[in-house]
Amino acid sequence: MTDNARVDVETCASVEIPTPIGPLGVVVTARGVLAVGLGGLTSAEQAARSLNGLVPGSLPGPVERVRGELGEYFEGMRQAFTVPIDWRLSSGYALEVRRMLAETVAYGDTISYSGLARLVRDEDVEGRDGAARAVGRAMATNPVPLLVPCHRVLAADGSLHGFGGGLEMKRRLLALEGAVPATLF
């Protein structure tokens, strides 16, 4: 086997974290959080399997850091995550959109799909009718929800639209952040 054919092996660790919105599955590498599964570990691990060279192992420091920050978030004591993100499951326009969202839409704030598209100003989609849809696709396939807060992206009329964990979970996250009333009815 030549060096060009060699696949580097990298350790990843998986953990399921109980939260008020249900169990979150989290996969971390030494680079950061690779995937978050809103319904538990299965979806996070499926996303991680798409990368070659990852092997299950132990990463107690990164696991405890993400567990601690998520716990603080759900207790209302954390408004910004500082755990690093391993961006390898994002690329192209989706990566630009996700980075822009993570960098510009703060705790308790919201933005529309078209508003996020305008922030990105990607020549390939800017000004086209599909810009908001392209942002929607980037949000729908976000491998690190919560850390990249796709729950803060709303329809143009301010209504809740699309979320991997369901609209009730999205509403609960926005209520936790004070962006919507705790009860809408």
Side-chain angles (χ1 to χ4, degrees):
M1 179 186 292
T2 67
D3 284 0
N4 292 341
R6 194 181 95 226
V7 174
D8 291 326
V9 175
E10 182 179 358
T11 300
C12 69
S14 303
V15 63
E16 190 163 272
I17 302 170
T19 75
I21 62 166
L24 295 179
V26 180
V27 176
V28 297
T29 67
R31 299 178 192 198
V33 179
L34 180 67
V36 175
L38 293 174
L41 210 44
T42 302
S43 60
E45 288 179 332
Q46 282 177 329
R49 277 195 283 278
S50 68
L51 290 179
N52 290 328
L54 291 180
V55 295
S58 177
L59 294 167
V63 165
E64 289 312 310
R65 184 171 174 195
V66 73
R67 184 191 311 269
E69 288 197 15
L70 285 169
E72 291 168 0
Y73 171 80
F74 285 109
E75 291 170 9
M77 299 171 17
R78 173 171 294 279
Q79 295 187 355
F81 293 103
T82 62
V83 292
I85 295 172
D86 182 337
W87 291 102
R88 288 181 287 171
L89 295 177
S90 296
S91 63
Y93 183 70
L95 176 60
E96 290 179 55
V97 169
R98 293 172 190 150
R99 282 186 187 266
M100 181 64 70
L101 175 63
E103 293 168 6
T104 61
V105 182
Y107 183 96
D109 291 337
T110 61
I111 192 168
S112 68
Y113 292 93
S114 58
L116 187 52
R118 282 191 298 277
L119 284 178
V120 174
R121 294 173 208 212
D122 188 306
E123 293 175 13
D124 292 334
V125 296
E126 181 61 30
R128 292 192 347 212
D129 292 336
R133 284 190 198 97
V135 168
R137 281 190 299 277
M139 296 300 95
T141 57
N142 178 8
V144 283
L146 293 181
L147 303 181
V148 174
C150 52
H151 61 280
R152 297 179 188 154
V153 184
L154 307 177
D157 65 1
S159 64
L160 302 185
H161 181 76
F163 188 65
L167 294 183
E168 177 58 19
M169 182 185 289
K170 184 172 190 167
R171 186 199 64 75
R172 290 179 65 194
L173 290 167
L174 291 169
L176 172 74
E177 296 182 7
V180 299
T183 57
L184 294 176
F185 313 36

